[in-house]
Amino acid sequence: MTAEGRTEVPEVLYTSLTAAVRRLVDVTIRSEVDGETVASATAKIDAATEELSRSLMPGSFGIPQTPDGRLLTWGNAVIGLRNALAPPLVVHHEPDGRAWADVTLGAAYEGPEGHVHGGICALLLDHVLGATAHKPGLPAVTGTLTLRYEAGTRLGPLRVEARIDRVEGVKTFAVGHIATPDCISVRADGVFFHPRAAVL
Amino acid sequence: MTAEGRTEVPEVLYTSLTAAVRRLVDVTIRSEVDGETVASATAKIDAATEELSRSLMPGSFGIPQTPDGRLLTWGNAVIGLRNALAPPLVVHHEPDGRAWADVTLGAAYEGPEGHVHGGICALLLDHVLGATAHKPGLPAVTGTLTLRYEAGTRLGPLRVEARIDRVEGVKTFAVGHIATPDCISVRADGVFFHPRAAVL
C-alpha cells in the first residue's frame, strides 16, 4: 500500500495494459470486421472500462512524486507509460545536451494519406526540444515554437532530435528536427522556460 | 457490400466503438484498481483486439472516397471518427472563412500537471488553422507554424479558433488561438498549402 492507501500495482502490469490499449486504438481504425463483431468488441471494451473504473483518481494523473523522489510522468501525452495516446516516446539525453528519440508511428498518427499529421510532428518536436531544457525534477514548458515543414513525414520509423542552441537566463533556445529514412521532414526551433519562472 | 467487397458497417457502430475506446484510454490512466483487476481488464482488451483484427486493412486508414464522392477522414489524428487519439475535434466553418471548434480535454492530453501538453495545443492549432485553407476534396498541409504560449492551458473546455489573414497564390496565411474560460492561452500563425502545390 502507498502512503495514500492505494494498492501498489507492479509497473509491468500498467505497461501491459497500456500496450494492449495502444493495439486496440490501432485496430479500431483499421478493422474491417462486420457490424456484429464491432458490437461484440465494443461490449468487451465497456466491460474492461467498468473494471478499471471501480476505483479512479479524480481529474488527471498529474506528476506525482514517488517516496524515493522520482517524478512519475505516466500520464503524459507524449511519454506517458499509462497514456495510450503516447507512442510512447523514450527520450534519450546525451552528455552534450542533445535529446533524441526513435519512434515508429502507425495509423493512429495519420493526417495526409500515409503521412504523419503535421500537428503530431509539432507535438513530438515540442516535447523533444523541451526535453533539452529539462532538469531532474524541473520540467520545462514552451514559450514559443516555430515549425518548418520541408517534406511530408511518412508513417513508419522516425527520429526526433534536438539540441540547445543557447541559454539566456531562464530561457533555453532549442533547435531540432524530425528525420525519416529519406530526409529531414520538419525543422523546429523554440524557447523553453522552467515553470517556476514561467507564467502558468 | 462496398465496391471493394467490404461489409458495410453502420457509422453509428464505429462511433460507439471509438467512444468506448476513448473512455478506456482515460480510465487506463486514472485507474487505481488492484493488479488482479488490471490483468483481468487487459485480457478483455486483448480479446476485443483479437475480434477486431479478424479482418484488417493494411497500413493506415488513408482518406478513402465514398461512392457519393465524400472524403472519409475517419482515421485522422485530430478529427477522426474512428481514431481514439482524436478528441475528436468537430471543426465548424463560417461563411467569412473562420474555422473553430469547441472541445473538452481530459487526462489523456496532459503535459504539465492539470494542463494541456504544449504539443497538444500545437496539434489542435495546426489542424484548425489548416482548416481555414481547406476546400471540399482538397485538404491543406502545413508549410510553417509558429506558436506563442502566453499562459498554461488548463485541462477542461477550450475553444480553438482561426481565420485567414491573407491568401497569396497557393499560400493561405492563417492566424488563430486557443481560448480557455479564463484567457487566450496560445496564439498561432501559419502558412498552409494544398497538397498538389506542396512537396509531399
Side-chain angles (χ1 to χ4, degrees), chain B residues 25 31 46 83-84 92 106 116 129-130 138 156 164 166 187:
Chain B
V25 167
S31 182
D46 283 340
N83 190 331
H92 303 271
V116 181
L129 266 70
L138 192 61
I164 295 172
R166 63 190 192 281
R187 294 184 192 272

Side-chain angles (χ1 to χ4, degrees), chain A residues 6-7 9 13-14 16-18 20-21 23-25 27-35 37-42 44-49 51-63 75-78 82-85 107-115 117-120 122-123 126-127 141-152 155 199-200, chain B residues 6-7 9 13-14 16-18 20-21 23-25 27-35 37-42 44-49 51-63 75-78 82-85 107-115 117-120 122-123 126-127 141-152 155 199-200:
Chain A
R6 291 180 197 161
T7 310
V9 173
L13 286 182
Y14 289 134
S16 295
L17 168 64
T18 315
V21 180
R23 287 190 297 269
L24 176 64
V25 168
V27 302
T28 292
I29 297 167
R30 298 194 298 121
S31 183
E32 294 184 315
V33 298
D34 61 27
T37 312
V38 169
S40 165
T42 304
K44 287 188 175 68
I45 295 161
D46 283 340
T49 298
E51 275 189 316
L52 293 169
S53 301
R54 285 176 197 160
S55 176
L56 285 178
M57 64 186 79
S60 60
F61 193 84
I63 312 177
N76 187 281
V78 176
R82 290 180 61 176
N83 190 331
L85 265 59
Y109 301 95
E110 191 173 38
E113 188 156 3
H115 289 78
H117 193 294
I120 293 288
L123 170 66
D126 174 64
H127 198 94
V141 297
T142 316
T144 63
L145 181 68
T146 298
L147 303 137
R148 291 175 299 286
Y149 295 80
E150 300 188 350
L155 292 173
V199 181
L200 262 191
Chain B
R6 291 180 197 162
T7 311
V9 173
L13 286 182
Y14 288 134
S16 296
L17 168 65
T18 314
V21 180
R23 287 191 297 270
L24 177 64
V25 167
V27 301
T28 293
I29 297 167
R30 299 194 297 120
S31 182
E32 294 184 316
V33 299
D34 61 27
T37 311
V38 170
S40 166
T42 304
K44 287 187 175 69
I45 296 161
D46 283 340
T49 299
E51 274 188 318
L52 293 170
S53 301
R54 284 176 199 160
S55 175
L56 285 179
M57 64 185 78
S60 60
F61 193 84
I63 312 175
N76 187 280
V78 176
R82 290 181 60 177
N83 190 331
L85 265 60
Y109 300 93
E110 190 174 38
E113 189 155 2
H115 290 78
H117 192 294
I120 294 288
L123 170 67
D126 173 65
H127 198 94
V141 298
T142 317
T144 63
L145 181 67
T146 298
L147 303 137
R148 291 174 299 284
Y149 296 80
E150 300 187 350
L155 292 173
V199 182
L200 262 192

